[in-house]
PDB file of all heavy atoms in Angstrom:
ATOM      1  N   GLN A 326       9.402 -15.306   1.144  1.00 96.00           N
ATOM      2  CA  GLN A 326       8.787 -14.320   0.400  1.00 96.00           C
ATOM      3  C   GLN A 326       7.432 -14.641  -0.194  1.00 96.00           C
ATOM      4  O   GLN A 326       6.469 -13.932  -0.262  1.00 96.00           O
ATOM      5  CB  GLN A 326       9.778 -13.819  -0.659  1.00 96.00           C
ATOM      6  CG  GLN A 326       9.338 -12.570  -1.646  1.00 96.00           C
ATOM      7  CD  GLN A 326       8.911 -11.357  -0.961  1.00 96.00           C
ATOM      8  OE1 GLN A 326       8.212 -10.570  -1.429  1.00 96.00           O
ATOM      9  NE2 GLN A 326       9.518 -11.139   0.180  1.00 96.00           N
ATOM     10  N   VAL A 327       7.434 -15.879  -0.861  1.00 96.00           N
ATOM     11  CA  VAL A 327       6.134 -16.302  -1.521  1.00 96.00           C
ATOM     12  C   VAL A 327       5.107 -16.526  -0.390  1.00 96.00           C
ATOM     13  O   VAL A 327       3.951 -16.056  -0.512  1.00 96.00           O
ATOM     14  CB  VAL A 327       6.360 -17.733  -2.014  1.00 96.00           C
ATOM     15  CG1 VAL A 327       5.068 -18.378  -2.586  1.00 96.00           C
ATOM     16  CG2 VAL A 327       7.315 -17.564  -3.128  1.00 96.00           C
ATOM     17  N   MET A 328       5.516 -16.911   0.823  1.00 97.00           N
ATOM     18  CA  MET A 328       4.457 -17.120   1.844  1.00 97.00           C
ATOM     19  C   MET A 328       4.028 -15.738   2.283  1.00 97.00           C
ATOM     20  O   MET A 328       2.834 -15.599   2.570  1.00 97.00           O
ATOM     21  CB  MET A 328       5.051 -17.867   3.015  1.00 97.00           C
ATOM     22  CG  MET A 328       5.207 -19.426   2.614  1.00 97.00           C
ATOM     23  SD  MET A 328       6.118 -20.575   3.728  1.00 97.00           S
ATOM     24  CE  MET A 328       5.223 -20.576   5.172  1.00 97.00           C
ATOM     25  N   ALA A 329       4.898 -14.772   2.552  1.00 97.00           N
ATOM     26  CA  ALA A 329       4.476 -13.457   2.964  1.00 97.00           C
ATOM     27  C   ALA A 329       3.528 -12.844   1.914  1.00 97.00           C
ATOM     28  O   ALA A 329       2.589 -12.172   2.315  1.00 97.00           O
ATOM     29  CB  ALA A 329       5.716 -12.614   3.178  1.00 97.00           C
ATOM     30  N   GLN A 330       4.010 -12.959   0.639  1.00 97.00           N
ATOM     31  CA  GLN A 330       2.993 -12.406  -0.331  1.00 97.00           C
ATOM     32  C   GLN A 330       1.757 -13.193  -0.408  1.00 97.00           C
ATOM     33  O   GLN A 330       0.637 -12.391  -0.587  1.00 97.00           O
ATOM     34  CB  GLN A 330       3.661 -12.576  -1.768  1.00 97.00           C
ATOM     35  CG  GLN A 330       4.950 -11.692  -2.046  1.00 97.00           C
ATOM     36  CD  GLN A 330       4.661 -10.288  -1.980  1.00 97.00           C
ATOM     37  OE1 GLN A 330       3.504  -9.751  -1.938  1.00 97.00           O
ATOM     38  NE2 GLN A 330       5.753  -9.514  -2.052  1.00 97.00           N
ATOM     39  N   LEU A 331       1.632 -14.352  -0.066  1.00 97.00           N
ATOM     40  CA  LEU A 331       0.338 -15.098  -0.073  1.00 97.00           C
ATOM     41  C   LEU A 331      -0.483 -14.609   1.124  1.00 97.00           C
ATOM     42  O   LEU A 331      -1.605 -14.249   1.057  1.00 97.00           O
ATOM     43  CB  LEU A 331       0.475 -16.581   0.084  1.00 97.00           C
ATOM     44  CG  LEU A 331       0.679 -17.443  -1.191  1.00 97.00           C
ATOM     45  CD1 LEU A 331       1.114 -18.885  -0.862  1.00 97.00           C
ATOM     46  CD2 LEU A 331      -0.618 -17.465  -2.048  1.00 97.00           C
ATOM     47  N   TYR A 332       0.161 -14.366   2.278  1.00 96.00           N
ATOM     48  CA  TYR A 332      -0.529 -13.943   3.527  1.00 96.00           C
ATOM     49  C   TYR A 332      -1.222 -12.554   3.287  1.00 96.00           C
ATOM     50  O   TYR A 332      -2.000 -12.174   3.890  1.00 96.00           O
ATOM     51  CB  TYR A 332       0.423 -13.813   4.638  1.00 96.00           C
ATOM     52  CG  TYR A 332       0.394 -14.993   5.510  1.00 96.00           C
ATOM     53  CD1 TYR A 332       1.478 -15.845   5.903  1.00 96.00           C
ATOM     54  CD2 TYR A 332      -0.820 -15.474   6.211  1.00 96.00           C
ATOM     55  CE1 TYR A 332       1.399 -16.966   6.676  1.00 96.00           C
ATOM     56  CE2 TYR A 332      -0.959 -16.601   6.946  1.00 96.00           C
ATOM     57  CZ  TYR A 332       0.203 -17.373   7.282  1.00 96.00           C
ATOM     58  OH  TYR A 332       0.203 -18.450   8.026  1.00 96.00           O
ATOM     59  N   LYS A 333      -0.550 -11.824   2.307  1.00 97.00           N
ATOM     60  CA  LYS A 333      -1.124 -10.379   2.130  1.00 97.00           C
ATOM     61  C   LYS A 333      -2.460 -10.480   1.401  1.00 97.00           C
ATOM     62  O   LYS A 333      -3.294  -9.580   1.395  1.00 97.00           O
ATOM     63  CB  LYS A 333      -0.186  -9.666   1.050  1.00 97.00           C
ATOM     64  CG  LYS A 333       1.002  -8.999   1.758  1.00 97.00           C
ATOM     65  CD  LYS A 333       1.818  -8.226   0.915  1.00 97.00           C
ATOM     66  CE  LYS A 333       1.311  -6.849   0.613  1.00 97.00           C
ATOM     67  NZ  LYS A 333       2.347  -6.020   0.064  1.00 97.00           N
ATOM     68  N   LEU A 334      -2.720 -11.586   0.754  1.00 97.00           N
ATOM     69  CA  LEU A 334      -4.110 -11.791   0.223  1.00 97.00           C
ATOM     70  C   LEU A 334      -5.115 -11.817   1.421  1.00 97.00           C
ATOM     71  O   LEU A 334      -4.974 -12.694   2.180  1.00 97.00           O
ATOM     72  CB  LEU A 334      -4.183 -13.039  -0.750  1.00 97.00           C
ATOM     73  CG  LEU A 334      -3.255 -12.999  -1.921  1.00 97.00           C
ATOM     74  CD1 LEU A 334      -3.419 -14.265  -2.657  1.00 97.00           C
ATOM     75  CD2 LEU A 334      -3.591 -11.795  -2.803  1.00 97.00           C
ATOM     76  N   VAL A 335      -6.168 -11.034   1.328  1.00 97.00           N
ATOM     77  CA  VAL A 335      -7.046 -10.905   2.560  1.00 97.00           C
ATOM     78  C   VAL A 335      -7.779 -12.318   2.631  1.00 97.00           C
ATOM     79  O   VAL A 335      -8.059 -12.609   3.822  1.00 97.00           O
ATOM     80  CB  VAL A 335      -8.077  -9.689   2.300  1.00 97.00           C
ATOM     81  CG1 VAL A 335      -9.227  -9.878   3.268  1.00 97.00           C
ATOM     82  CG2 VAL A 335      -7.354  -8.392   2.313  1.00 97.00           C
ATOM     83  N   ASN A 336      -8.024 -13.064   1.619  1.00 97.00           N
ATOM     84  CA  ASN A 336      -8.747 -14.266   1.789  1.00 97.00           C
ATOM     85  C   ASN A 336      -7.829 -15.485   2.261  1.00 97.00           C
ATOM     86  O   ASN A 336      -8.366 -16.559   2.453  1.00 97.00           O
ATOM     87  CB  ASN A 336      -9.467 -14.684   0.429  1.00 97.00           C
ATOM     88  CG  ASN A 336     -10.331 -13.715  -0.013  1.00 97.00           C
ATOM     89  OD1 ASN A 336     -10.307 -13.116  -1.205  1.00 97.00           O
ATOM     90  ND2 ASN A 336     -11.145 -13.207   0.813  1.00 97.00           N
ATOM     91  N   VAL A 337      -6.556 -15.272   2.410  1.00 97.00           N
ATOM     92  CA  VAL A 337      -5.736 -16.369   2.831  1.00 97.00           C
ATOM     93  C   VAL A 337      -5.728 -16.500   4.346  1.00 97.00           C
ATOM     94  O   VAL A 337      -5.580 -15.384   5.047  1.00 97.00           O
ATOM     95  CB  VAL A 337      -4.237 -16.165   2.276  1.00 97.00           C
ATOM     96  CG1 VAL A 337      -3.340 -17.115   2.965  1.00 97.00           C
ATOM     97  CG2 VAL A 337      -4.253 -16.434   0.767  1.00 97.00           C
ATOM     98  N   ILE A 338      -5.886 -17.649   4.863  1.00 97.00           N
ATOM     99  CA  ILE A 338      -6.195 -17.906   6.251  1.00 97.00           C
ATOM    100  C   ILE A 338      -4.865 -18.488   6.962  1.00 97.00           C
ATOM    101  O   ILE A 338      -4.541 -18.070   8.046  1.00 97.00           O
ATOM    102  CB  ILE A 338      -7.359 -18.748   6.594  1.00 97.00           C
ATOM    103  CG1 ILE A 338      -8.575 -18.222   5.860  1.00 97.00           C
ATOM    104  CG2 ILE A 338      -7.641 -18.823   8.021  1.00 97.00           C
ATOM    105  CD1 ILE A 338      -9.809 -19.108   5.781  1.00 97.00           C
ATOM    106  N   ALA A 339      -4.306 -19.468   6.424  1.00 97.00           N
ATOM    107  CA  ALA A 339      -3.005 -20.082   6.935  1.00 97.00           C
ATOM    108  C   ALA A 339      -2.315 -20.703   5.876  1.00 97.00           C
ATOM    109  O   ALA A 339      -2.772 -21.242   4.860  1.00 97.00           O
ATOM    110  CB  ALA A 339      -3.617 -21.099   8.052  1.00 97.00           C
ATOM    111  N   ILE A 340      -0.999 -20.782   6.152  1.00 97.00           N
ATOM    112  CA  ILE A 340      -0.084 -21.439   5.129  1.00 97.00           C
ATOM    113  C   ILE A 340       0.890 -22.272   5.906  1.00 97.00           C
ATOM    114  O   ILE A 340       1.350 -21.908   6.955  1.00 97.00           O
ATOM    115  CB  ILE A 340       0.722 -20.313   4.361  1.00 97.00           C
ATOM    116  CG1 ILE A 340      -0.271 -19.301   3.894  1.00 97.00           C
ATOM    117  CG2 ILE A 340       1.547 -20.966   3.199  1.00 97.00           C
ATOM    118  CD1 ILE A 340       0.463 -18.084   3.251  1.00 97.00           C
TER     119      ILE A 340
END
Side-chain angles (χ1 to χ4, degrees):
Chain A
Q326 177 60 204
V327 173
M328 289 168 61
Q330 292 293 351
L331 272 170
Y332 264 123
K333 279 180 79 164
L334 299 177
V335 169
N336 300 127
V337 168
I338 305 170
I340 310 172

